């Protein structure tokens, strides 16, 4: 069955796809988005259960602060106008079984005093670290993404180099060391155990965690009131206002190719849509090996997807709780005296978050609570589709709830709703390989890939492009939105059109 034809078909109404759609429309291209789900946002989502809204994504949004990096892009996408953000003074706390508590303040001076109280003998290290955070408050993380690298001329490279030069020492010093490694330089035993968890995952390059604190200090990494799906919906609205069209419940089975040129897509229900260009804004592996049948490959691409790079698969247990937790710290990682066994792995810490800072997410006097853990995808994949999968979800959530009761006495009796999302939930819902929350996890090993960028075209295939979190290692909402912006810039360049942007009223 043949349907309409347009200039650009985009596969996926996640943030990358919606952003590409908006910029396509701004530049006079007629675009249509095919989305397999019945909602926009992809991973940038939230779900409502019994009066509670469980957020599945944004903890911090780069670009939330006026005149700060990424902000003007959000203005163009109509995502930020009139939106309220919560800016936290502390990112999280790490609490040891002894009760010792590391408070990860976003103010570098406050953090320095706090760390020095624990360990005057580590003063040199602490001062270097906090001075580094101050330096990152001046660093523009969007610099590397502002223009597609293949469109940059000598002048652009020169301007970029000039802007980056003052930070080269900083990037070298903090880009090659993970939080786990940094922690081992401390003499103080508590800091040695707490610092690996201060940015949520131990293999995070220090540069990334320090930039995060710096952006939080600048009030440029806030939480959007109303949660992630509301945020994604604002991009969908902007796209529709610009004249774009989203087809929901439209899962693409195949990219249609003629003479090595992408010409359209076929859906699972056999509908076919044709276009001058196709942009895939969904799972990278699925695009290359399923939608295109593995026909357009080279060694580099095969290697990317051979499983050697780290991927972040997550278990999230969300709880609707009949208790007001607003006086509790909003995010705590508890270090455990005795490990608990979750999904076949011993866990020595659990991260717990509540969302009382956004009163729209729970009925008055009640709270949303969340436990998040990284978890092995294989474990869940092995049992998926069997009755044991459901049993396992219940068992693992019970273990975590039992553990929570030690930190929040009596909490079990207050729990009204339990929702479990495994890596298979994320995979089923968004199609992302291994349920990955960010494409490849940002570590020291993948930093180089993030900086260099991944080629957005496939060898031997014309009129076809890829964007989103699998093309921008480390993912994140602003970076994938920039990925969508850049691809339209590239297409305008190919068509010798000036790339234009507009800002809605
Ligand atoms: C728990 C969690 C916490 C996070 N925290 C943050 C944070 O604090 N800050 C931040 O900036 N980022 C955060 N991220 C990362 C961020 O959400 C992602 O990197 C980003 O949203 C990815 O967007 P995307 O458009 O590239 O891909 P996706 O969101 O995966 O979108 C792909 C879309 O394509 C659709 N699709 C897939 N296959 C097909 C097909 N065959 N046909 C049609 N449609 C298809 C999917 O349904 C989906 O809508 C977090 C992610 C998670 C999961």
């Amino acid at each position: 069955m043949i349907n309409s034809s347009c200039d650009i078909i985009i596969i996926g109404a996640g943030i990358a796809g919606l952003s590409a759609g908006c910029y396509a429309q701004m530049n006079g291209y007629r675009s249509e988005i095919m989305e397999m789900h019945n909602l926009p946002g992809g991973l940038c989502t939230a779900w409502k259960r019994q009066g509670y809204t469980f957020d599945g994504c944004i903890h911090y949004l780069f670009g939330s602060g006026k005149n700060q990096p990424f902000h003007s892009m959000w203005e163009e996408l109509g995502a930020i106008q009139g939106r309220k953000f919560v800016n936290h003074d502390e990112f999280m706390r790490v609490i040891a079984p002894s009760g010792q508590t590391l408070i990860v303040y976003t103010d570098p001076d406050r953090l320095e005093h706090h760390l020095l109280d624990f360990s005057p003998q580590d003063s040199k290290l602490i001062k270097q670290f906090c001075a580094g955070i101050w330096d990152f408050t001046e660093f523009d993380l969007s610099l590397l993404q502002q223009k597609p690298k293949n469109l940059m001329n000598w002048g652009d490279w020169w301007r970029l180099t000039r802007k980056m030069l003052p930070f080269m020492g900083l990037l070298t010093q903090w880009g090659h060391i993970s939080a786990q490694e940094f922690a081992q330089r401390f003499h103080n035993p508590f800091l040695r155990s707490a610092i690996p968890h201060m940015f949520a995952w131990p293999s995070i390059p220090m540069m990334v965690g320090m930039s995060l604190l710096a952006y939080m200090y600048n009030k440029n990494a806030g939480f959007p009131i109303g949660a992630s799906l509301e945020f994604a919906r604002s991009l969908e609205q902007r796209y529709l206002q610009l004249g774009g069209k989203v087809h929901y419940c439209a899962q693409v089975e195949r990219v249609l190719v003629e003479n090595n040129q992408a010409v359209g897509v076929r859906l699972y229900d056999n509908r076919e849509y044709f276009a001058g260009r196709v942009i895939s804004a969904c799972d990278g592996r699925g695009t290359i090996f399923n939608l295109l049948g593995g026909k357009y490959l080279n060694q580099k691409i095969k290697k990317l997807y051979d499983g050697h790079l780290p991927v972040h698969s997550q278990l999230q247990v969300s709880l609707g709780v009949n208790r007001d937790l607003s006086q509790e710290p909003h995010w705590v990682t508890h270090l455990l005296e005795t490990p608990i066994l979750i999904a076949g792995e011993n866990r020595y810490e659990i991260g717990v978050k509540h969302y009382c800072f956004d009163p729209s997410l729970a009925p008055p006097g009640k709270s949303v609570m969340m436990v998040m853990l990284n978890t092995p995808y294989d474990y869940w994949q092995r049992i998926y589709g069997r009755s044991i999968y459901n049993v396992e979800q219940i068992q693992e959530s019970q273990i975590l709830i039992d553990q929570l009761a030690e930190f929040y006495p009596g909490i079990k009796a207050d729990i009204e709703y339990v929702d479990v999302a495994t890596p298979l939930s994320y995979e089923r819902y968004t199609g992302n390989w291994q349920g990955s929350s960010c494409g490849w996890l940002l570590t020291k090993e993948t930093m180089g890939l993030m900086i260099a960028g991944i080629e957005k075209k496939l060898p031997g295939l014309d009129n076809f492009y890829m964007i989103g979190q699998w093309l921008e290692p480390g993912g994140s909402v602003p970076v994938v939105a920039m990925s969508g912006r850049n691809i339209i810039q590239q297409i305008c360049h190919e068509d010798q059109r000036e790339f234009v942007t507009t800002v809605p009223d």
Side-chain angles (χ1 to χ4, degrees):
M1 202 190 335
I2 297 180
N3 279 275
S4 60
S5 89
C6 63
D7 298 322
I8 303 177
I9 285 176
I10 298 163
I11 309 171
I15 298 298
L18 289 168
S19 165
C22 289
Y23 287 106
Q25 295 297 130
M26 284 181 220
N27 283 279
Y29 293 100
R30 288 171 306 124
S31 68
E32 297 187 14
I33 301 181
M34 306 293 156
E35 166 55 49
M36 69 175 184
H37 205 61
N38 60 356
L39 288 173
L43 287 169
C44 186
T45 197
W47 51 99
K48 282 191 174 22
R49 300 287 183 271
Q50 280 183 24
Y52 295 97
T53 302
F54 298 129
D55 195 286
C57 183
I58 301 175
H59 301 292
Y60 39 83
L61 182 82
F62 286 178
S64 60
K66 197 144 188 65
N67 299 324
Q68 299 281 337
F70 295 108
H71 189 80
S72 58
M73 176 191 65
W74 292 130
E75 283 183 327
E76 291 163 357
L77 292 169
I80 213 127
Q81 289 86 335
R83 187 172 298 286
K84 290 203 177 86
F85 286 90
V86 181
N87 291 292
H88 297 291
D89 292 337
E90 52 181 80
F91 174 56
M92 72 148 73
R93 296 185 178 197
V94 185
I95 305 184
S98 62
Q100 275 186 304
T101 303
L102 167 63
I103 305 178
V104 187
Y105 291 112
T106 59
D107 176 338
D109 284 344
R110 209 168 162 200
L111 180 61
E112 181 175 317
H113 288 130
H114 178 61
L115 290 171
L116 285 172
D117 281 347
F118 278 112
S119 183
Q121 78 265 40
D122 286 312
S123 75
K124 195 171 162 211
L125 202 53
I126 291 168
K127 286 186 171 162
Q128 267 177 5
F129 169 51
C130 295
I133 301 173
W134 275 121
D135 291 340
F136 276 113
T137 59
E138 305 287 322
F139 183 60
D140 182 350
L141 274 172
S142 70
L143 275 179
L144 284 168
Q145 276 105 19
Q146 269 165 6
K147 202 168 176 189
K149 304 242 168 34
N150 52 340
L151 299 192
M152 284 173 63
N153 58 29
W154 282 109
D156 293 326
W157 280 111
W158 168 241
R159 274 188 292 279
L160 177 65
T161 311
R162 256 191 25 207
K163 284 187 187 159
M164 296 281 287
L165 216 52
F167 298 97
M168 288 318 275
L170 192 67
L171 299 177
T172 314
Q173 183 179 4
W174 299 106
H176 296 104
I177 178 166
S178 66
Q180 177 80 58
E181 290 164 342
F182 180 59
Q184 299 321 307
R185 295 185 182 172
F186 282 79
H187 292 99
N188 180 279
F190 168 62
L191 292 182
R192 281 169 75 94
S193 63
I195 280 179
H197 306 285
M198 73 189 294
F199 303 125
W201 74 96
S203 59
I204 186 175
M206 283 301 287
M207 179 206 138
V208 178
M210 291 161 78
S211 313
L212 169 59
L213 292 188
Y215 274 39
M216 290 186 102
Y217 177 72
N218 284 346
K219 305 209 180 321
N220 192 31
F223 173 85
I225 289 283
S228 300
L229 180 58
E230 287 288 303
F231 182 79
R233 280 203 189 282
S234 59
L235 271 81
E236 181 211 37
Q237 283 312 306
R238 172 78 169 131
Y239 178 60
L240 297 177
Q241 277 157 12
L242 284 162
K245 187 169 179 185
V246 189
H247 301 260
Y248 286 109
C249 304
Q251 185 170 3
V252 173
E253 185 203 1
R254 205 76 180 171
V255 174
L256 300 173
V257 177
E258 284 172 13
N259 301 323
N260 295 323
Q261 296 196 337
V263 295
V265 296
R266 185 171 67 236
L267 308 187
Y268 272 90
D269 62 11
N270 280 334
R271 276 181 290 164
E272 292 184 343
Y273 292 83
F274 290 87
R277 290 180 166 100
V278 177
I279 298 174
S280 172
C282 65
D283 176 53
R285 193 170 191 275
T287 298
I288 295 168
F289 295 97
N290 302 335
L291 302 187
L292 286 162
K295 202 171 161 208
Y296 299 97
L297 282 173
N298 56 23
Q299 281 311 319
K300 217 165 151 186
I301 298 170
K302 275 191 199 156
K303 191 150 179 53
L304 271 180
Y305 290 97
D306 71 0
H308 79 285
L309 290 173
V311 165
H312 181 246
S313 306
Q314 156 158 325
L315 175 69
Q316 175 170 316
V317 178
S318 309
L319 307 170
V321 182
N322 185 8
R323 185 187 289 194
D324 180 1
L325 292 166
S326 53
Q327 298 312 308
E328 301 284 341
H330 74 277
W331 195 347
V332 177
T333 294
H334 294 274
L335 306 180
L336 307 179
E337 193 144 41
T338 317
I340 49 173
L341 188 68
I342 298 286
E345 280 190 338
N346 270 332
R347 308 294 319 191
Y348 292 87
E349 73 291 313
I350 60 167
V352 187
K353 200 173 167 178
H354 73 72
Y355 282 79
C356 294
F357 50 79
D358 181 349
S360 71
L361 304 188
K366 301 186 176 186
S367 311
V368 164
M369 251 182 141
M370 213 169 264
V371 182
M372 293 155 294
L373 302 170
N374 70 318
T375 189
Y377 169 82
D378 292 349
Y379 180 88
W380 296 100
Q381 209 258 341
R382 267 199 302 273
I383 57 173
Y384 186 64
R386 295 163 38 200
S387 53
I388 187 180
Y389 177 72
N390 294 337
V391 174
E392 196 70 4
Q393 287 189 59
I394 296 166
Q395 271 179 1
E396 308 301 28
S397 55
Q398 279 312 322
I399 296 171
L400 289 168
I401 290 168
D402 286 346
Q403 190 63 52
L404 280 188
E406 292 193 14
F407 310 130
Y408 305 88
I411 199 80
K412 272 176 156 177
D414 296 336
I415 295 174
E416 295 184 331
Y417 196 88
V418 181
D419 178 276
V420 183
T422 75
L424 271 297
S425 320
Y426 292 97
E427 188 176 61
R428 203 178 50 229
Y429 184 80
T430 65
N432 279 296
W433 185 37
Q434 300 188 35
S436 174
S437 62
C438 54
W440 287 293
L441 185 65
L442 209 47
T443 63
K444 282 188 318 175
E445 288 70 34
T446 51
M447 275 279 285
L449 207 55
M450 190 266 278
I451 292 167
I454 295 176
E455 175 57 48
K456 310 290 184 286
K457 298 191 80 168
L458 293 175
L461 181 60
D462 287 336
N463 300 345
F464 184 79
Y465 310 81
M466 291 173 68
I467 56 171
Q469 64 174 10
W470 295 96
L471 283 294
E472 319 290 349
S476 88
V477 175
V479 169
V480 304
M482 203 56 116
S483 179
R485 190 181 193 273
N486 280 343
I487 210 67
I488 301 302
Q489 216 172 333
Q490 180 167 334
I491 288 174
C492 286
H493 178 80
E494 286 170 10
D495 291 347
Q496 298 182 345
R497 285 193 197 185
E498 190 192 348
F499 175 70
V500 293
T501 61
T502 56
V503 174
D505 292 338

